[in-house]
Amino acid sequence: MDFTLHIWRQHGAAEAGRFVTYPVRGISPDLSFLEMLDVLNEELVGRGEAPIAFDHDCREGICGSCAMVINGDPHGPLPGTTTCQLYMRHFANGAEITVEPWRARAFPVLRDLIVDRAALDRVIQAGGYVSVNTGAAPDAHALTVSKQAADAAFEAAACIGCGACVAACPNGSAMLFTAAKVVQLAMLPQGRPERARRVIGMVEAMDDAGFGNCTNHYACAEACPKQIPARFIARLNREFLNAALTSREFVELARPHEHEE
Amino acid sequence: MNRLVRLFRTSIGSKLVVAASGTLLLGFLFVHAGGNLLILKGPDALNGYADWMQGHPLLWGFRLGLLALFAVHVLTAIRLARANRAARPTPYRRIARLGARLPGRLMVFSGLLLLAFLIFHLLHLTVRAVGPEVQPLLDGAGRVDVYGMIVASFSEPLTAAVYLLAMGLLGLHLVHAIEGLFQTLGFNHESYQGLIRLLAPALTLLLVSGFAAIPLLVISGALGGG
Ligand code: HEM
Ligand code: SF4
Ligand code: FES
């Protein structure tokens, strides 16, 4: 198959970028999108040009690093699919394909298609964990979890932290990511002791990172490769309002430093 | 730090302010539309209702409350919209499926045009600085003849068109707003997701047709004709 690619090239964070057009020929329909880029990069290296920088790791849809916007869709046009699991047979032969990095103030471009997604890590650091005692493994029956709670937590836990929700949102909001992480732990008994401080810390860290605010478009859920539903954002709002209006943590624990960029 | 101060400084707290003020405004609009529809019962019902309201001791308290709600809603919504714009400094070259979310993307646009309409509406029917001279101003019982004023106003095609256009904008704003407010206030849940999706267009249609019915009935001659 043949394609015409328009790819964003940018040498460094401080430099201006632009689109460069690359024709690719004789691509097997069974190559993944990343493998197609590998083929193009081999060609570029052969010509002495700098290869296109893109993020990738697992190439099996679980690490969340293969961030790129393909023809206006984060992770490409196939629903519930990461870029690494997208195959060239999903495109028409001869198609023009525009490839851009995630665009958000909180995700500065480092090079070509690679952006710095550390803002999501800061949200996690602000509460996306549970504190447990180390030592002997706990008794398997020590904490009971209902099937319903386990299923709901698992649905949220499917989030791979890729940032496609931010990339798709017209406001560059990270609400779906934050919602998935907050809801996952709020559903489980292990998450209960830190429940209030978690949601307060994560929402305030999200605000401080420069993400926008949700205006209920749900573009995030459409783009999410793990199909995290937008109603988790309503649950996040509920969790946060509950903590803000009733928890002692909201009054007693200081807000961390704002705008620590 | 005070709980509420800290809450309203967050994204979710600010959204809550927009949603709560918007919901109260929505409640006002339903009462307003209901009052307007008294016109169907004739001049006496409408003029009597208007007269009762004019003499009500809480009238100014109510008006100031509404003003405050509008101010809070608009200022908070604009503050959030500016932050949202700043969150994506570099635009995409291509955006897929843009059209599917058009009412949502036009919220500031429809909101600001509604604000402009609101000012016109107050100048027109409350202050009466624009629009037709209505003579006589009082009805047979010595009350302001609101009925006559409405019929005279909407008999002018341009005025009727402005009102109908504004109701279209209101529909554009509310169809996204009503669905959104359940999400923002935290009610969205699997169990009533379908209901909410139905409720947003249904309530919007009910309200918009309640308002739009009056200019339409006047134009068609069904109201005030005889
Ligand atoms: C005519 C009376 C109005 C009513 C009944 C109304 C109602 C609402 C409601 C219920 C919401 C939903 C809040 C949410 O999604 O959480 C909303 C959102 C909003 N309103 Fe209004 N509104 C009115 C006028 C205005 C005006 C004059 C503006 C001027 C800028 C405005 C701008 C907005 C914006 C920007 C949003 C947020 C949109 C979003 O979250 O997607 N509204 N409105
Ligand atoms: S919610 Fe979905 S789109 Fe957002 S980071 Fe998680 S997996 Fe990616
Ligand atoms: S490379 Fe790991 S999800 Fe795509």
Side-chain angles (χ1 to χ4, degrees):
Chain A
M1 303 177 81
D2 302 337
F3 303 99
T4 306
L5 305 172
H6 306 285
I7 301 182
W8 182 260
R9 301 300 311 259
Q10 180 174 344
H11 283 309
E15 273 154 85
R18 68 199 169 94
F19 283 96
V20 179
T21 300
Y22 299 98
V24 290
R25 313 244 163 271
I27 296 290
S28 152
D30 295 327
L31 287 191
S32 75
F33 201 85
L34 298 187
E35 286 160 347
M36 182 274 295
L37 290 179
D38 292 336
V39 169
L40 172 61
N41 274 345
E42 291 287 336
E43 213 181 292
L44 292 180
V45 170
R47 294 206 300 256
E49 291 177 36
I52 296 149
F54 60 91
D55 226 344
H56 63 104
D57 186 17
C58 71
R59 297 211 179 195
E60 56 184 10
I62 54 172
C63 76
S65 53
C66 49
M68 58 191 79
V69 174
I70 302 166
N71 279 347
D73 279 313
H75 290 299
L78 214 62
T81 309
T82 54
T83 305
C84 57
Q85 296 291 296
L86 180 70
Y87 290 88
M88 295 322 290
R89 57 178 174 267
H90 299 306
F91 294 86
N93 191 23
E96 302 232 355
I97 306 175
T98 302
V99 191
E100 309 173 65
W102 282 181
R103 298 284 188 199
R105 182 167 62 139
F107 291 161
V109 174
L110 296 177
R111 190 186 179 113
D112 298 341
L113 302 174
I114 300 183
V115 300
D116 180 359
R117 290 180 296 129
L120 296 183
D121 299 336
R122 292 201 289 279
V123 175
I124 292 291
Q125 281 159 2
Y129 50 79
V130 290
S131 303
V132 292
N133 290 325
T134 54
D139 193 338
H141 297 309
L143 287 171
T144 47
V145 180
S146 73
K147 167 89 165 69
Q148 287 71 19
D151 285 350
F154 193 76
E155 193 180 5
C159 168
I160 54 177
C162 64
C165 42
V166 179
C169 175
N171 310 320
S173 165
M175 282 270 218
L176 189 65
F177 165 78
T178 308
K181 298 303 177 193
V182 164
V183 169
Q184 176 199 342
L185 298 176
M187 295 308 298
L188 298 172
Q190 291 89 339
R192 213 90 347 130
E194 289 152 314
R195 187 169 182 174
R197 74 160 71 188
R198 170 181 309 113
V199 68
I200 297 164
M202 291 178 76
V203 166
E204 291 184 339
M206 173 184 85
D207 290 348
D208 290 346
F211 293 112
N213 312 283
C214 175
T215 50
N216 307 325
H217 296 287
Y218 312 147
C220 51
E222 274 175 51
C224 174
K226 298 298 154 184
Q227 300 183 311
I228 305 288
R231 64 185 149 76
F232 279 170
I233 296 176
R235 200 185 267 275
L236 169 71
N237 292 343
R238 216 150 66 222
E239 282 280 321
F240 184 73
L241 288 176
N242 196 23
L245 295 176
T246 65
S247 79
R248 294 179 68 152
E249 282 89 335
F250 201 57
V251 182
E252 290 174 9
L253 300 180
R255 198 183 201 287
H257 299 295
E258 290 181 39
H259 302 290
E260 48 175 291
E261 39 214 72
Chain B
M1 202 187 329
N2 181 287
R3 233 181 238 290
L4 293 179
V5 173
R6 183 169 178 177
L7 172 62
F8 295 144
R9 285 177 58 199
T10 64
S11 53
I12 295 182
S14 308
K15 281 174 49 60
L16 177 72
V17 169
V18 178
S21 57
T23 307
L24 290 173
L25 288 174
L26 191 62
F28 160 71
L29 288 187
F30 270 100
V31 174
H32 187 24
N36 291 357
L37 287 175
L38 285 175
I39 200 169
L40 300 178
K41 296 177 75 178
D44 196 46
L46 187 67
N47 294 354
Y49 171 65
D51 195 54
W52 168 78
M53 223 164 26
Q54 281 297 326
H56 203 285
L58 290 181
L59 178 68
W60 273 101
F62 193 76
R63 282 177 169 171
L64 289 178
L66 267 180
L67 185 71
L69 276 181
F70 265 107
V72 162
H73 184 78
V74 172
L75 293 177
T76 312
I78 289 180
R79 178 166 61 77
L80 286 174
R82 289 172 57 113
N84 292 345
R85 208 147 297 169
R88 170 149 310 129
T90 318
Y92 287 111
R93 179 189 256 195
R94 285 199 56 171
I95 301 172
R97 294 191 289 266
L98 185 61
R101 292 178 284 273
L102 217 52
R105 287 186 156 248
L106 292 176
M107 287 304 271
V108 176
F109 175 78
S110 60
L112 287 177
L113 283 180
L114 278 176
L115 197 63
F117 166 73
L118 193 72
I119 293 168
F120 166 76
H121 174 55
L122 290 176
L123 287 175
H124 176 216
L125 291 178
T126 308
V127 184
R128 278 168 236 144
V130 293
E133 288 283 326
V134 185
Q135 293 294 347
L137 212 58
L138 303 182
D139 69 3
R143 302 169 300 198
V144 176
D145 185 14
V146 177
Y147 185 92
M149 185 167 68
I150 297 292
V151 170
S153 291
F154 290 151
S155 301
E156 295 189 330
L158 189 65
T159 310
V162 168
Y163 273 77
L164 288 175
L165 200 71
M167 290 312 104
L169 283 167
L170 183 65
L172 193 69
H173 197 74
L174 291 186
V175 77
H176 180 74
I178 296 176
E179 187 175 334
L181 75 89
F182 288 100
Q183 174 90 348
T184 304
L185 298 176
F187 286 117
N188 196 355
H189 189 277
E190 270 169 297
S191 337
Y192 22 81
Q193 218 162 10
L195 186 69
I196 292 171
R197 245 180 240 139
L198 215 74
L199 214 58
L203 285 180
T204 302
L205 196 68
L206 186 69
L207 190 65
V208 168
S209 46
F211 278 122
I214 296 170
L216 287 177
L217 287 174
V218 172
I219 295 169
S220 70
L223 260 184

